[in-house]
Every structure is written in structure tokens, then in C-alpha cells.
């Protein structure tokens, strides 16, 4: 498995490397740190003749040195420089070329209490990536292996890919899987009692199916969280420090593409842990650094 890490020499870049390391450690994935530059930026990786290195080239070399220093010693990683029209385009091109199973980026933040905002690069990825995108919250520095996966269980068409990814990932990593259904009580036309009951029924249906696909004895649980808003429902849940939330792409997404829906966006703004968004109809492809 290969993970493309959107690296910039900023706090967001450090957040992305830390999250990628935490996710990679559970299954020995290879990290590809990708630094996207403008198509006009010169880049010389080596300078054996001792000629002068331009300021732009020096910036890239410094980014490589800083980025690779953040990767734990027990993980394999490479640094790549890609020229592209945009940060998101460069990461998507790299993910397709390397047959990566994930793109990891740091999320921008604008405030003391909200750990996420969607910057332009992350927004572009969440509307166009053909592979899952992992978003690291501001200040994420944990590099220990992921300790639990939580799947947001929706009832709309298109969630099957996220369910598959969550079950396969939990089995591969040997970590507990929690299925969560979120109910927004103040939603227009909402019958609270009926919706909570329907959420329990649907979540338990997914739980039964998941239990049959996981190894015997694998720990899997189900919870229904509700509040006047999605944000309150998120706050109603307990979150482990080493946890990741998995959500599916909006039903409006094109096949094999991401499109983050309004509910997932609300979840993101209140979430204290990393989030992975899975494209509609996504199918995982195995790859190795030699591919």
C-alpha cells in the first residue's frame, strides 16, 4: 500500500506527515511525500558540479530535508517534486501514477476551537479525488498506530464503498471497528422518534453484515448519537486519541469521485479526530513502491 502525502513546509504539512505515519504503521504502508510546485519552478535534486542553486531550488531542497526528517525511522518514504497547475491536481496525478490507496493532507484552521476549515486545496481534493482523502486536524502530531476506526453509517445510496473500506481496514489493521449513526433532531421535517429508531435498525443491519466479514472475535460495536444539530451529535460521542472517522462521499458524486456532502461537512467542522472520505464506488488497488 502506498500513501501520497501532500507536503508543504508548514504546520499543515507536518500534520499530514504525522497522520500518514500513524495510518501507515498499522500495515507497513510506504509514504510518498509530494511537494507540488508551479510549472515554472526550476528544480535540481542534485548539484554535483557545484553551480549556484537558485532561491526556488533551495526552497524545494529545504522542503525535502524538513519533510523527510518528520517521517519516523521505521517507515519507508520517498520525497517527490511535481510541477502542476494546482496543489490538488499534483496530488491526484501522483496518486494515480503511484497507484496510491490514500491521499493525506493537513486541513487549514481558522480559530481556537474549530480544528478544521476546508482550504482551497483540500476542497478541490474533496470534490475530485479518485482515491480516499484523509484530513488531519490542526496540530495533529500523533504517529503511533491507529487504535480504532469509526464508520459514519448513513442510509443513503453510495455508502457501500465506505463500509467496505472500513471493514477491510479494520480487519487488515486488527483494530476495533465502531459503527456510528448520527441523527440531527432539528432537521426540517424530522420526526425524532422515528428517525432514531430507523438509525438503530440501519446501524444494526450494517453491524450484522460487518460481523460476518470480520475475523471471529473481532471487536465491532454500534452507536446512535443524536443532538439538535450534527455538531451536538458528534460531541455526544467519546473519541479515542488514536481514532479515525471514515465517511462516504455524497450521493451526488460521480462514480469513483469524491464529493463531500453537507452532513459530512458539518461533521468535519465539529470533529476532534482525523477524517477519511471515501469516493463513491471506490475499489482498493494494491501497489508497491516499485510500481
Amino acid at each position: 500500500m502506498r500513501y501520497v502525502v501532500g507536503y508543504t513546509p508548514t504546520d499543515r504539512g507536518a500534520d499530514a506527515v504525522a497522520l500518514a505515519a500513524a495510518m501507515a504503521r498499522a500495515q507497513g504502508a510506504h509514504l510518498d511525500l509530494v511537494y507540488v510546485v508551479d510549472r515554472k519552478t526550476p528544480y535540481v535534486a542534485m548539484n554535483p558540479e557545484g553551480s549556484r542553486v537558485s532561491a526556488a531550488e533551495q526552497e524545494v531542497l529545504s522542503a525535502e530535508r524538513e519533510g523527510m526528517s518528520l517521517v519516523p525511522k521505521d517507515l519507508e518514504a520517498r520525497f517527490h517534486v511535481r510541477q502542476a497547475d494546482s496543489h490538488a491536481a499534483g496530488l491526484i496525478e501522483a496518486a494515480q501514477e503511484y497507484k496510491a490507496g490514500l491521499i493525506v493532507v493537513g486541513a487549514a484552521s481558522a480559530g481556537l476551537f474549530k480544528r478544521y476549515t476546508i482550504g482551497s486545496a483540500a476542497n478541490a481534493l474533496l470534490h475530485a479525488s479518485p482515491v480516499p482523502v484523509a484530513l488531519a486536524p490542526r496540530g495533529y502530531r500523533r504517529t503511533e498506530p491507529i487504535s480504532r476506526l469509526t464508520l459514519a453509517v448513513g442510509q443513503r445510496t453510495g455508502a457501500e464503498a465506505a463500509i467496505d473500506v472500513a471493514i477491510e481496514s479494520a480487519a487488515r489493521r486488527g483494530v476495533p471497528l465502531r459503527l456510528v449513526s448520527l441523527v440531527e433532531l432539528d432537521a426540517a421535517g424530522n420526526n425524532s422518534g422515528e428517525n432514531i429508531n430507523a438509525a438503530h435498525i440501519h446501524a444494526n443491519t450494517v453491524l450484522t453484515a460487518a460481523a460476518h466479514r470480520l475475523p471471529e472475535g473481532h471487536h465491532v460495536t454500534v452507536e446512535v448519537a443524536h443532538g439538535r444539530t450534527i455538531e451536538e451529535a458528534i460531541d455526544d460521542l467519546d473519541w479515542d486519541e488514536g481514532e479515525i472517522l471514515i465517511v462516504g462521499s455524497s450521493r451526488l458524486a460521480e462514480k469513483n469521485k469524491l464529493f463531500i456532502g453537507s452532513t459530512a461537512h458539518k461533521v468535519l467542522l465539529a470533529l476532534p479526530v482525523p477524517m477519511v472520505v471515501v469516493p463513491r464506488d471506490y475499489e482498493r488497488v494494491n501497489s508497491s513502491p516499485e510500481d
Side-chain angles (χ1 to χ4, degrees), residues 241-264:
E241 184 180 350
E243 187 160 13
I244 286 181
L245 176 69
I246 298 173
V247 302
S249 182
S250 166
R251 69 191 188 285
L252 300 176
E254 298 176 17
K255 185 175 182 180
N256 297 326
K257 289 291 181 68
L258 279 182
F259 188 94
I260 189 168
S262 59
T263 298

Side-chain angles (χ1 to χ4, degrees), residues 41-103:
T41 300
Y43 174 55
V44 179
M46 298 182 67
N47 189 25
E49 297 181 359
S51 59
R52 182 177 295 277
V53 177
S54 72
E57 292 167 348
Q58 185 59 53
E59 182 178 326
V60 173
L61 293 169
S62 295
E64 178 176 6
R65 185 170 56 252
E66 293 172 18
M68 293 300 288
S69 72
L70 296 173
V71 179
K73 301 300 183 185
D74 59 325
L75 290 176
E76 293 184 0
R78 291 178 185 169
F79 190 90
H80 310 265
V81 179
R82 296 189 73 95
Q83 294 175 314
D85 294 327
S86 71
H87 188 67
L91 296 181
I92 290 172
E93 290 168 5
Q96 291 173 324
E97 180 179 331
Y98 307 149
K99 299 179 183 177
L102 187 70
I103 296 175

Side-chain angles (χ1 to χ4, degrees), residues 2-61:
R2 298 177 72 170
Y3 295 162
V4 162
V5 186
Y7 181 72
T8 56
T10 63
D11 288 341
R12 289 199 302 275
D15 295 340
V17 174
L19 175 57
M23 298 182 72
R25 273 185 154 155
Q27 56 183 9
H30 174 92
L31 303 185
D32 290 291
L33 274 62
V34 176
Y35 184 60
V36 181
V37 298
D38 185 86
R39 291 194 183 278
K40 297 179 181 179
T41 300
Y43 174 55
V44 179
M46 298 182 67
N47 189 25
E49 297 181 359
S51 59
R52 182 177 295 277
V53 177
S54 72
E57 292 167 348
Q58 185 59 53
E59 182 178 326
V60 173
L61 293 169

Side-chain angles (χ1 to χ4, degrees), residues 8 10 12 15 86-89 91 105-111 114-128 133-138 260 265 268-269:
T8 56
T10 63
R12 289 199 302 275
D15 295 340
S86 71
H87 188 67
L91 296 181
V105 293
S109 183
K114 292 298 184 183
R115 304 193 69 188
Y116 288 99
T117 59
I118 302 297
S120 58
N123 184 64
L125 283 172
L126 291 173
H127 287 78
V133 172
L135 297 168
R138 181 188 63 169
I260 189 168
H265 190 268
L268 183 61
L269 294 179

